[in-house]
Amino acid sequence: MSVETEKYCTVLIHYEKGVPPTSEELAKKLENKKESIKAEALEELCLLMINGESYPKLLMTIIRFVVTCNDHRVKKLLTIYWEIVDKCKENGDLKEEMILVCNALRNDLMHANEYVCGSTLRLLCKMKYYRILEPLKEAVLRNLGHRHSYVRRNAVMCVFSIVKSFGVEVLPEAPEDIEQLLLVEGDLSTKRNAFLMLLNCDQERAIKYVLSLQDQVSSMGDIFQLSVLELVRKVCRSTSVNKGRFLRIVFDLASSSSSAVSYDCASSLVSLSSSPVAIHQAAQAYVTLLTEQSDNNVKLIVLDRLRDVQKHHKQVMEGMVMDIFRALSCPSLDVRKKVMDICLGSLVSQRNIKDVVSLLKKEVIKTQSYEASNTEGNLEYRRLLIRALHACTGQYPDQAQSVMFLLMEFLTEGDQSTATEVVMFLRELIANYPDMRMSILQRLAESVGDVPQSRVLRGCLWLFGEYCEDKVLIESVIEGILSALRPLPLLVEESSAKEKKQDNADKSKEPAKAPKITTKTVVLADGTYGTQNVYEGGEGEDEAGEKDKPEAKKTAFRTLLLGGDFLLSAMVGVSLTKLCMKIPNISTAVKNEVLLVIVNLFKLVKNHSCGGEKSDSAVRLAQCLRALAAGSGTQFADSQLAAAKLVSSDWSNNMGRSQLAKVLELATQNSEWALGQEEEVVEKSVPPDECIVFRQLRERKGGGGTSAGMDDDEDFSAARGASVAGQAAADGRLFAERLAKVQQMTGLADPVYVEAFLQVHSFDLVLELLVVNRTNETLQNVLVELSTQGDLKLVDRPIAVTLAAGQQMTVHASIKVASTETGIIFGYVTYEKKSAADKECSVLNELHVDILDYIERSWIGELAFRTMWSEFEWENKVNINTSITEVGTFLEHIMRNTNMSIVGRSYKKGSEAKSQKKGKLSAEDVKEMLEQAVGIKKLIDTSSFVAVNLYAKSIFGEDALANISIEKLPDGKLTGSCRIRSRTQGIALSLGDRITIVQRGVQGPGGKQK
């Protein structure tokens, strides 16, 4: 048989063999009468043979001197030796010594000690030589009735192995014997093994046995129940005769105390039935596992299964939302994120929104506790909860009132992301629900002075200027802003506190100056003149006076303005101006104070080292002053008056609200959780002349039909319509892809020609090396020596081979990848010729690992992108130098060659539908992205300058951010830069190198640049 010509071994043990001993040395030890010395010699012999050494002469020595030993350690080592020793000659015939080995094995099978007997049976399970097993069949079958369960258990598996390898014809009586054993067996492991044997070799007997014990299956052990479930899945796919009775068994087992059985039952129910009762039972089993299992990996797996159930059975899952939310008690952020992804969206409805919001509020309150504040990931979890509340209450305003004041407490926190999430939430409520505006804006006016984040303050100020309509509210908001800025004017301190202390210390060393009296002329209350004596003390009294002087109140708002925040200064001026223009009869004192603030801010911006009269903020503040002064009746030139009227009309036409409505609509479309919306189902197009196949009408002959023996993978292929022609076309495409990735490592004129194909399996690389002997003589010990550069680790090195003239052979090497960094594989190939005394070698070309294999297209929101951009330290800037002359073409080219998508645009559904998340983006995918990004597409078509934010994620969880700024010059060339940021240096440098390489031209169909 062909299987006997293959070398078969299941043992692999590493051993530093050093200088291996000779056969004579080992034979001397094996012939020793002491059993301990024999055991040591046999152990050393096994380790040497496993690691490539060959000792064919020692087989007869072991048969003569070791087989007769009764020591258990020697017996155990002998089972390893019988497995690894060469049993055939070079021509494939069985060695004559194997007759004696068969006799020794037969004696061990009939041994009085159950351990020896069981170990021998385990050895025979691994034996793939029928000529050795044939004389042992009778002894194996006899052990099915052994008194000890250990022997019976291994005897069943031995029978199963023989039947599986060589067919049931070699043991025709085996199924009946196993069935009889199954009926009387009391040991659970033996019963499980016997049932597995019937399941794979005689399915009808297995079905008959299970149906006879239908009511008792739930009381049997978990390992037997798992085997029954395997039978149920196989049988129900091939026939529906007993499907109802089998599903009843699965229903009974779904509530098993064993987590493995419960999980398997749930998977079986989902795959075999679409009944709401069955799906509910499966979902309930999954939820029980989710809440009871402590392992986070188990929780993540169960959540993936629940996500699959949710896609197809939304109505069943809707009632289990609150049960799934119980998994939020897990501290893992990944688990919590997946729980949110499942529960929020299509499962949230009017019936359960109140309970969902109440639970999320409790979780938010928990994050404020002292214990939670010291927990890792607490801030990220709080942001997640705020986004969840935002998604829930955005479409159910009746729930928003109970949440908004709780969330407004986070506006004064130091975490910018959390505060920004809250202000975005409040912005949506104010824009969409006018009834809530008064209360929200009033509360914001009270707390505006305590907000420490500039971005949050700008959002609040814009809301004040755009949505405050009531006179009392406007006056309250203006007073709140002014009180946060007082005392006026705003003055930039000349020196820091440390410099003042240093100056005071220096002055203390100098002698104090004497006080002096000066006489000044002053105007008295009645308008007459008078004189006043002014006493000017020394420095000591001046310092005492400064100490007694109370310090000015410093709010976070005031500190930001004095620190040179130009955007915030402009926003303060615009908001105050809008508010004043909405009240025609505003008091003069308030208006003057507003003018003082704006003039003060204009002066700060003008005198700042980074500002000036022509800076954007200074121009904006000047517009505010002009608009306020024109409204007060101040005389202006016609041009100045027209400009003031233009600004006033622009700020009063509510264009900002309409633009905000478009922004909110776009944000809803690209939201993480779109409430009440079901996921899009991928439409499958079938040609009109395609044949319709009814599986129920297909011919079945017993249990051996094609459809009856269909396993999961074949069933999935059949469901996709994988025909013979389609498979051939797929194989052709696969071959073309492999051929395109093959790289030549040596020249065709070299004695040894080597070409490599690098295959990526997530964290592992498999390097296939085709080695060809190009000479007319035999080359011995042809060895490819490899080394790596970067975060690559060589795990398995290629083996040495001997090549005849013109012969070729494929060897493999395994490489472990640690991070997303451009790696290089290099080395040389050595070989020996009979005519040459020394080894010869050829240097291999370098093989670069493509970073694109580790980059996955992913989605991120704009706020999260900005937060990461400010936090990440590593930045790599690449200047644009390309022959491409169109902005859109260049952007598509970069996106396709880096797998990066546009920030703020959700492509999750499309990527999952096309199953291309981990593949390279096609040109059609990139064009679809840009078509959906209407604003960017319009900018590309109408402007000569485009700035786009891109995002991708590596399989190692590393985030890659990119900002591409492109400008088209008058001569048609493109210029600009691409800035890449990441948390680690490797991915930033690797992506930069990738962009530098691919930016010079558009790649053609063959992968070569034009």
Side-chain angles (χ1 to χ4, degrees):
M1 295 183 182
S2 60
V3 70
E4 295 186 0
T5 61
E6 298 180 4
K7 192 170 182 180
Y8 186 87
C9 178
T10 62
V11 183
L12 180 61
I13 305 173
H14 177 69
Y15 179 60
E16 295 289 346
K17 54 188 178 182
V19 180
T22 61
S23 298
E24 290 76 14
E25 294 173 351
L26 289 173
K28 187 176 181 180
K29 293 182 180 180
L30 292 170
E31 294 171 6
N32 197 295
K33 294 182 179 181
K34 289 186 177 181
E35 294 180 347
S36 59
I37 297 178
K38 285 184 179 181
E40 291 175 2
L42 187 57
E43 181 179 349
E44 185 179 8
L45 174 61
C46 291
L47 291 171
L48 290 168
M49 292 180 67
I50 289 171
N51 286 273
E53 298 296 327
S54 178
Y55 293 94
K57 297 180 181 179
L58 293 179
L59 177 58
M60 201 61 208
T61 304
I62 288 178
I63 293 174
R64 289 176 58 196
F65 298 100
V66 182
V67 166
T68 56
C69 181
N70 289 322
D71 183 69
H72 281 189
R73 186 185 175 199
V74 174
K75 288 287 186 184
K76 186 175 182 179
L77 291 169
L78 270 176
T79 59
I80 300 176
Y81 177 77
W82 296 139
E83 183 180 353
I84 63 178
V85 71
D86 289 331
K87 303 168 186 66
C88 298
K89 301 177 184 177
E90 292 182 358
N91 59 3
D93 295 336
L94 199 67
K95 291 182 178 180
E96 291 80 2
E97 293 91 338
M98 286 296 111
I99 300 174
L100 300 175
V101 174
C102 288
N103 186 53
L105 293 174
R106 182 182 178 85
N107 292 335
D108 287 340
L109 287 174
M110 299 166 55
H111 201 281
N113 186 284
E114 60 271 8
Y115 171 76
V116 175
C117 190
S119 299
T120 308
L121 287 166
R122 292 186 64 182
L123 167 66
L124 296 182
C125 290
K126 306 172 186 178
M127 200 74 73
K128 301 300 177 184
Y129 297 90
Y130 182 68
R131 283 172 289 179
I132 296 177
L133 294 171
E134 186 177 12
L136 304 176
K137 292 190 295 183
E138 182 183 353
V140 171
L141 290 175
R142 190 182 304 169
N143 279 317
L144 290 175
H146 197 278
R147 70 182 189 282
H148 203 281
S149 60
Y150 175 72
V151 179
R152 296 196 303 272
R153 184 189 316 154
N154 287 290
V156 171
M157 294 310 296
C158 185
V159 172
F160 180 28
S161 176
I162 294 172
V163 172
K164 188 177 180 181
S165 300
F166 306 104
V168 74
E169 297 83 8
V170 300
L171 287 174
E173 70 278 13
E176 185 177 354
D177 292 345
I178 295 296
E179 185 181 16
Q180 294 300 320
L181 173 66
L182 192 59
L183 293 173
V184 299
E185 181 58 51
D187 180 66
L188 185 61
S189 298
T190 308
K191 188 186 287 287
R192 187 272 312 268
N193 292 351
F195 185 78
L196 281 177
M197 164 34 181
L198 290 181
L199 168 62
N200 290 277
C201 302
D202 195 339
Q203 204 173 90
E204 292 298 327
R205 292 179 186 269
I207 294 172
K208 180 182 175 182
Y209 176 75
V210 170
L211 294 179
S212 66
L213 299 175
Q214 181 175 346
D215 298 330
Q216 304 175 25
V217 173
S218 58
S219 61
M220 295 182 176
D222 54 349
I223 57 175
F224 185 80
Q225 292 171 348
L226 291 172
S227 304
V228 171
L229 290 172
E230 185 179 347
L231 172 71
V232 169
R233 286 193 296 272
K234 277 195 170 184
V235 172
C236 289
R237 288 194 184 97
S238 59
T239 178
S240 59
V241 176
N242 296 309
K243 185 174 182 180
R245 299 178 67 181
F246 280 129
L247 286 179
R248 181 182 161 192
I249 295 175
V250 179
F251 267 95
D252 294 339
L253 295 178
S255 57
S256 171
S257 58
S258 170
S259 56
V261 174
S262 181
Y263 178 82
D264 221 11
C265 285
S267 302
S268 301
L269 287 172
V270 172
S271 61
L272 298 177
S273 176
S274 58
S275 166
V277 179
I279 300 301
H280 183 273
Q281 184 74 18
Q284 190 64 49
Y286 281 140
V287 171
T288 303
L289 289 172
L290 181 64
T291 54
E292 292 182 355
Q293 293 296 316
S294 58
D295 191 346
N296 290 340
N297 295 319
V298 175
K299 290 179 182 288
L300 291 172
I301 293 171
V302 171
L303 286 170
D304 286 335
R305 298 295 174 268
L306 283 171
R307 184 64 180 269
D308 295 336
V309 175
Q310 179 229 355
K311 289 179 182 178
H312 304 95
H313 306 282
K314 172 201 165 189
Q315 292 79 8
V316 178
M317 290 287 293
E318 192 173 315
M320 310 189 72
V321 171
M322 300 309 298
D323 294 327
I324 300 174
F325 265 128
R326 288 160 55 195
L328 289 177
S329 58
C330 175
S332 171
L333 191 63
D334 293 331
V335 173
R336 289 168 165 172
K337 181 67 168 64
K338 282 203 171 187
V339 169
M340 296 289 191
D341 290 339
I342 293 172
C343 295
L344 300 180
S346 60
L347 298 185
V348 176
S349 64
Q350 189 67 45
R351 292 188 294 273
N352 56 22
I353 182 64
K354 185 175 181 180
D355 296 332
V356 171
V357 171
S358 177
L359 184 140
L360 294 176
K361 282 173 58 181
K362 291 178 181 177
E363 290 296 318
V364 171
I365 294 172
K366 286 181 183 177
T367 62
Q368 295 177 285
S369 64
Y370 177 76
E371 295 80 6
S373 60
N374 298 324
T375 306
E376 184 180 358
N378 185 61
L379 284 177
E380 290 81 357
Y381 181 44
R382 185 184 297 169
R383 295 173 200 160
L384 185 67
L385 289 171
I386 292 173
R387 291 202 302 272
L389 284 170
H390 186 178
C392 288
T393 56
Q395 298 184 19
Y396 299 97
D398 53 330
Q399 301 296 327
Q401 295 181 354
S402 63
V403 177
M404 57 186 185
F405 292 119
L406 170 65
L407 297 185
M408 287 175 72
E409 297 178 5
F410 297 112
L411 286 174
T412 57
E413 281 209 351
D415 181 38
Q416 180 176 351
S417 299
T418 303
T420 308
E421 291 281 2
V422 173
V423 82
M424 294 296 114
F425 170 57
L426 297 176
R427 182 184 69 175
E428 184 171 340
L429 291 180
I430 291 173
N432 294 334
Y433 308 108
D435 297 339
M436 302 182 187
R437 289 177 187 169
M438 282 283 292
S439 56
I440 296 176
L441 292 172
Q442 186 66 44
R443 182 71 176 272
L444 285 177
E446 296 172 0
S447 58
V448 70
D450 300 325
V451 178
Q453 305 294 342
S454 174
R455 177 180 172 81
V456 179
L457 280 169
R458 295 200 304 270
C460 295
L461 291 169
W462 187 87
L463 291 174
F464 290 149
E466 192 68 33
Y467 288 100
C468 286
E469 302 291 347
D470 184 72
K471 180 181 179 182
V472 178
L473 177 61
I474 293 175
E475 292 175 350
S476 174
V477 169
I478 292 176
E479 180 60 30
I481 296 174
L482 294 177
S483 62
L485 299 178
R486 294 187 183 112
L488 298 174
L490 302 172
L491 298 175
V492 180
E493 298 178 358
E494 296 292 337
S495 57
S496 63
K498 183 182 291 187
E499 292 172 346
K500 286 184 177 180
K501 290 181 181 179
Q502 185 66 34
D503 293 342
N504 292 337
D506 295 338
K507 289 178 180 178
S508 62
K509 298 178 182 178
E510 299 176 1
K513 296 180 181 179
K516 61 180 180 178
I517 299 174
T518 58
T519 302
K520 291 184 177 180
T521 303
V522 295
V523 180
L524 301 179
D526 57 358
T528 60
Y529 292 96
T531 59
Q532 180 181 12
N533 294 328
V534 179
Y535 176 81
E536 295 181 1
E539 287 187 4
E541 294 186 12
D542 291 342
E543 291 175 6
E546 288 181 5
K547 291 179 182 179
D548 295 339
K549 183 180 178 181
E551 291 188 1
K553 180 183 68 173
K554 291 184 180 180
T555 61
F557 195 178
R558 181 187 175 93
T559 305
L560 287 171
L561 291 173
L562 291 174
D565 192 333
F566 294 169
L567 280 176
L568 183 59
S569 299
M571 197 68 246
V572 170
V574 171
S575 298
L576 288 174
T577 304
K578 284 184 177 181
L579 292 172
C580 291
M581 289 167 59
K582 289 182 179 182
I583 306 179
N585 55 349
I586 189 172
S587 64
T588 307
V590 173
K591 195 167 187 178
N592 288 340
E593 192 169 5
V594 169
L595 282 170
L596 174 61
V597 169
I598 297 175
V599 170
N600 199 171
L601 293 175
F602 178 82
K603 185 177 180 181
L604 289 175
V605 174
K606 178 183 175 182
N607 295 334
H608 197 277
S609 57
C610 299
E613 289 187 9
K614 295 184 179 181
S615 64
D616 294 341
S617 298
V619 172
R620 199 65 164 166
L621 290 169
Q623 290 176 347
C624 297
L625 290 171
R626 189 184 300 117
L628 281 177
S632 303
T634 306
Q635 296 298 322
F636 281 108
D638 293 341
S639 59
Q640 297 285 341
L641 191 60
K645 290 181 178 180
L646 180 63
V647 170
S648 301
S649 61
D650 187 36
W651 287 349
S652 59
N653 59 6
N654 291 333
M655 280 295 294
R657 300 188 186 187
S658 60
Q659 295 298 324
L660 177 59
K662 295 179 181 179
V663 171
L664 293 177
E665 182 182 357
L666 187 62
T668 303
Q669 294 175 0
N670 296 297
S671 175
E672 289 178 277
W673 307 297
L675 300 191
Q677 297 181 11
E678 297 185 10
E679 295 194 15
E680 297 178 2
V681 180
V682 183
E683 296 183 1
K684 297 181 180 179
S685 58
V686 181
D689 57 346
E690 185 76 19
C691 294
I692 300 175
V693 179
F694 296 95
R695 292 185 62 187
Q696 289 80 359
L697 302 180
R698 294 179 68 175
E699 182 182 3
R700 298 188 184 89
K701 296 180 180 179
T706 304
S707 60
M710 191 177 292
D711 58 13
D712 292 345
D713 295 332
E714 294 169 339
D715 193 24
F716 181 61
S717 299
R720 291 183 300 167
S723 60
V724 176
Q727 188 64 38
D731 291 342
R733 286 193 299 270
L734 180 62
F735 176 74
E737 291 177 5
R738 286 176 61 94
L739 196 61
K741 292 182 178 179
V742 170
Q743 297 194 32
Q744 184 176 333
M745 305 294 285
T746 61
L748 292 172
D750 290 332
V752 177
Y753 172 74
V754 181
E755 65 180 23
F757 170 70
L758 191 63
Q759 194 168 5
V760 179
H761 297 288
S762 63
F763 304 114
D764 298 320
L765 300 177
V766 178
L767 183 63
E768 294 183 12
L769 296 166
L770 177 65
V771 185
V772 184
N773 182 1
R774 303 279 294 174
T775 65
N776 295 323
E777 54 183 313
T778 301
L779 299 181
Q780 298 178 343
N781 293 328
V782 180
L783 180 62
V784 180
E785 291 284 354
L786 297 175
S787 298
T788 59
Q789 180 180 344
D791 279 344
L792 303 177
K793 181 181 179 183
L794 202 59
V795 179
D796 295 328
R797 298 181 180 274
I799 59 174
V801 295
T802 299
L803 298 177
Q807 184 183 1
Q808 65 182 31
M809 193 173 293
T810 302
V811 294
H812 297 82
S814 297
I815 301 170
K816 201 77 174 176
V817 185
S819 68
T820 309
E821 185 175 346
T822 302
I824 300 175
I825 304 171
F826 57 95
Y828 55 91
V829 56
T830 61
Y831 51 91
E832 297 177 359
K833 294 182 179 178
K834 290 184 178 179
S835 58
D838 298 330
K839 287 185 177 181
E840 299 183 21
C841 72
S842 299
V843 179
L844 303 178
N845 292 331
E846 291 183 351
L847 183 64
H848 292 262
V849 180
D850 191 359
I851 185 180
L852 201 60
D853 293 323
Y854 307 116
I855 299 294
E856 296 180 1
R857 176 174 56 173
S858 188
W859 177 90
I860 193 175
E862 294 182 0
L863 177 60
F865 178 88
R866 291 193 183 97
T867 304
M868 289 185 188
W869 187 269
S870 61
E871 291 176 354
F872 288 177
E873 298 178 356
W874 292 102
E875 179 175 317
N876 186 13
K877 185 176 180 181
V878 179
N879 293 323
I880 294 176
N881 182 15
T882 179
S883 59
I884 303 173
T885 57
E886 295 297 329
V887 175
T889 306
F890 179 77
L891 185 58
E892 291 178 11
H893 180 61
I894 294 297
M895 291 172 63
R896 189 173 67 250
N897 284 280
T898 57
N899 255 5
M900 304 188 85
S901 56
I902 299 175
V903 172
R905 309 289 177 194
S906 178
Y907 306 104
K908 294 180 286 185
K909 298 173 185 176
S911 61
E912 288 176 1
K914 297 177 183 178
S915 300
Q916 290 182 344
K917 182 179 179 183
K918 294 186 179 180
K920 293 185 179 180
L921 291 178
S922 63
E924 291 75 14
D925 295 330
V926 176
K927 286 182 180 178
E928 183 181 352
M929 290 185 192
L930 292 175
E931 290 293 337
Q932 293 180 5
V934 181
I936 295 176
K937 182 67 176 174
K938 185 177 180 181
L939 196 62
I940 291 174
D941 296 337
T942 60
S943 175
S944 61
F945 177 80
V946 177
V948 182
N949 292 330
L950 304 178
Y951 174 78
K953 197 168 189 177
S954 73
I955 60 175
F956 304 99
E958 301 168 314
D959 298 294
L961 316 178
N963 172 264
I964 301 182
S965 301
I966 315 169
E967 183 182 1
K968 188 171 183 179
L969 299 176
D971 59 359
K973 292 184 179 181
L974 298 183
T975 185
S977 64
C978 177
R979 298 166 63 196
I980 305 158
R981 286 195 182 185
S982 64
R983 198 179 298 276
T984 56
Q985 182 183 17
I987 189 171
L989 294 177
S990 301
L991 262 180
D993 295 340
R994 173 78 182 177
I995 292 174
T996 302
I997 293 171
V998 304
Q999 72 170 333
R1000 296 196 177 275
V1002 182
Q1003 289 187 350
K1008 296 182 179 180
Q1009 293 184 356
K1010 295 179 181 179

